[in-house]
Amino acid sequence: MLPSQTDLDNDNLILKLSLARITFLTLEEKKKFANLIDSASKLALFSIEEIQKLTGRSFSKRVVWDGKENLRCAKIALNRCVIMKIGLVFFDDPEYPEVLRQIPDAPYLLFYRGNVSLLAERTVSIVGTRRVTATGRQAAIQFAYEAANDGVCVVSGLANGVDGCAHQGALNAWFDAVEKGNAAANGIGRTIAVLPSAIDEVVPFGHKKMAAQILQSGGCLISEYEPGMNIANWHFVGRNRIIAGLSPATVVIEAPAGSGALITADFATDYNRDVLFHEVTFGGMAEKVSDIVERDLEARFATGGVSKYKLENRPEKFIKDGAPVIKDYKDYCRALAEMPGTRSAKIVQQKLFEE
């Protein structure tokens, strides 16, 4: 929904916004509280002990709760949404995407700008490294271009590297369709950017123009963080789970060991979604970048600078577990229809032979 001035006194809306702001509550707990508590002012009067009693669990001593301050911030956030024309979609709203609703850690609330109906369209998530090679850049743009021309909405995180290339590919499809006069009729060139920042900011700042073009083309910007909220490091991982959750399949285009894109792939795997790797991930240029990254990770791991998970989380792990390798968008469509493990088995055999 796009809130208006009359919604500033909507107590149910303010209650749900207040619940969305409580980071130490799970999705299920927020849904439970929304049914148990009938006003935002009552929630504001709850003590941390009362909240613990209702959830049936104890919180860390680091948890800080100030109900009145939370209520004040929720009202400010709602007012900003009205002024900035920022929409809100709660978990129980009809507009909330069903594919995202199916994941266990789905966001209770999404803020959006642009065409929210895209969240219910056919989608493919495209992710990859910020240190993308020229070959990877072209592959990401071309894959997204072909997907967007096929009416599939491209989902990515607006980051530098592969993410930006994916959005650009979809935008290129839209601009080409506009020149031919058929963009609106065919739904060509749509893309969704999932932000790690507040909905009223763009990170990185250099992609501000791209974000504007996404909105211009009928795309959508979404975030689970209210306008005015400061960005935190953990927001990036939270953003990754939404990217994985918004599509039935995630395509990885170049991702050396420890890459954030592989965290997205892990989420997709956990959600029983398809994960596919573009062949450029294993190309000569990408391998050189991977070698540099892996040597750095190994050195940092030796001094306790990174975790073993980060060191060992690499594309080969997914291939051994059955992830297909694809050449382009058409090949992606074919791969989704094939028997699981067909392509990955060939890649594993080839790797073993090379070793």
Side-chain angles (χ1 to χ4, degrees):
M1 64 168 289
L2 196 61
S4 63
Q5 284 290 133
T6 58
D7 290 310
L8 293 176
D9 295 320
N10 184 328
D11 191 66
N12 183 57
L13 182 56
I14 296 170
L15 169 63
K16 294 170 82 172
L17 253 171
S18 298
L19 287 170
R21 300 192 77 261
I22 308 177
T23 57
F24 57 83
L25 291 183
T26 67
L27 169 64
E28 292 304 317
E29 288 166 349
K30 290 174 183 178
K31 289 160 58 179
K32 177 182 178 180
F33 276 40
N35 291 325
L36 288 176
I37 304 170
D38 57 11
S39 76
S41 57
K42 285 186 179 179
L43 174 63
L45 295 175
F46 272 47
S47 67
I48 190 67
E49 290 77 19
E50 289 173 313
I51 294 177
Q52 287 182 143
K53 185 176 180 180
L54 281 174
T55 61
R57 64 186 178 93
S58 297
F59 303 134
S60 165
K61 292 182 179 179
R62 291 177 293 179
V63 167
V64 177
W65 167 247
D66 184 335
K68 292 181 180 179
E69 176 64 12
N70 187 63
L71 176 58
R72 186 186 75 85
C73 290
K75 290 180 177 180
I76 291 173
L78 180 57
N79 187 58
R80 285 174 172 165
C81 288
V82 171
I83 294 171
M84 300 177 189
K85 300 188 184 319
I86 293 169
L88 305 92
V89 178
F90 291 94
F91 186 86
D92 56 356
D93 289 341
E95 298 86 0
Y96 196 95
E98 183 59 35
V99 67
L100 186 61
R101 189 183 276 126
Q102 293 169 1
I103 71 173
D105 51 354
Y108 180 70
L109 164 63
L110 288 174
F111 296 92
Y112 70 88
R113 296 173 61 200
N115 184 6
V116 70
S117 68
L118 291 184
L119 300 178
E121 298 294 325
R122 287 191 301 152
T123 55
V124 59
S125 293
I126 303 175
V127 297
T129 180
R130 288 173 172 81
R131 302 174 65 171
V132 62
T133 68
T135 306
R137 183 180 301 277
Q138 183 56 40
I141 292 173
Q142 187 62 30
F143 183 95
Y145 181 88
E146 293 175 4
N149 262 316
D150 193 33
V152 177
C153 186
V154 172
V155 179
S156 200
L158 203 66
N160 288 322
V162 169
D163 286 22
C165 293
H167 293 303
Q168 191 60 60
L171 288 170
N172 290 350
W174 183 79
F175 283 119
D176 286 351
V178 168
E179 289 185 5
K180 298 173 184 176
N182 62 356
N186 297 323
I188 293 171
R190 302 296 190 246
T191 184
I192 299 170
V194 186
L195 306 176
S197 58
I199 187 63
D200 59 330
E201 294 184 13
V202 173
V203 173
F205 184 79
H207 279 173
K208 199 168 185 178
K209 180 180 177 181
M210 181 177 287
Q213 290 177 332
I214 288 173
L215 295 177
Q216 176 192 356
S217 67
C220 190
L221 307 178
I222 65 171
S223 172
E224 59 182 325
Y225 309 114
E226 67 191 44
M229 179 174 284
N230 293 327
I231 194 167
N233 288 338
W234 57 270
H235 287 182
F236 291 89
V237 175
R239 182 267 307 273
N240 290 352
R241 89 184 193 287
I242 296 175
I243 293 174
L246 274 174
S247 299
T250 293
V251 175
V252 182
I253 300 179
E254 292 190 351
S259 171
L262 298 179
I263 296 177
T264 307
D266 268 332
F267 278 123
T269 300
D270 290 344
Y271 302 151
N272 294 316
R273 308 290 168 84
D274 287 307
V275 175
L276 306 92
F277 284 78
H278 197 288
E279 64 179 7
V280 297
T281 305
F282 307 98
M285 294 179 69
E287 290 286 356
K288 290 180 181 179
V289 174
S290 293
D291 289 344
I292 295 170
V293 171
E294 287 178 22
R295 285 197 296 270
D296 177 63
L297 284 175
E298 288 169 357
R300 292 165 61 195
F301 175 72
T303 60
V306 297
S307 66
K308 188 175 182 181
Y309 161 78
K310 194 175 184 71
L311 177 65
E312 295 181 348
N313 200 28
R314 56 188 67 199
E316 288 78 7
K317 179 191 77 172
F318 295 90
I319 301 304
K320 288 179 180 178
D321 288 342
V325 177
I326 58 169
K327 296 180 180 179
D328 51 30
Y329 175 70
K330 289 182 179 179
D331 198 30
Y332 157 83
C333 294
R334 288 192 292 267
L336 293 181
E338 292 174 355
M339 288 291 289
T342 303
R343 298 178 181 223
S344 55
K346 293 179 181 178
I347 294 293
V348 171
Q349 290 172 2
Q350 180 181 343
K351 288 280 184 182
L352 291 173
F353 179 77
E354 290 173 353
E355 292 174 358

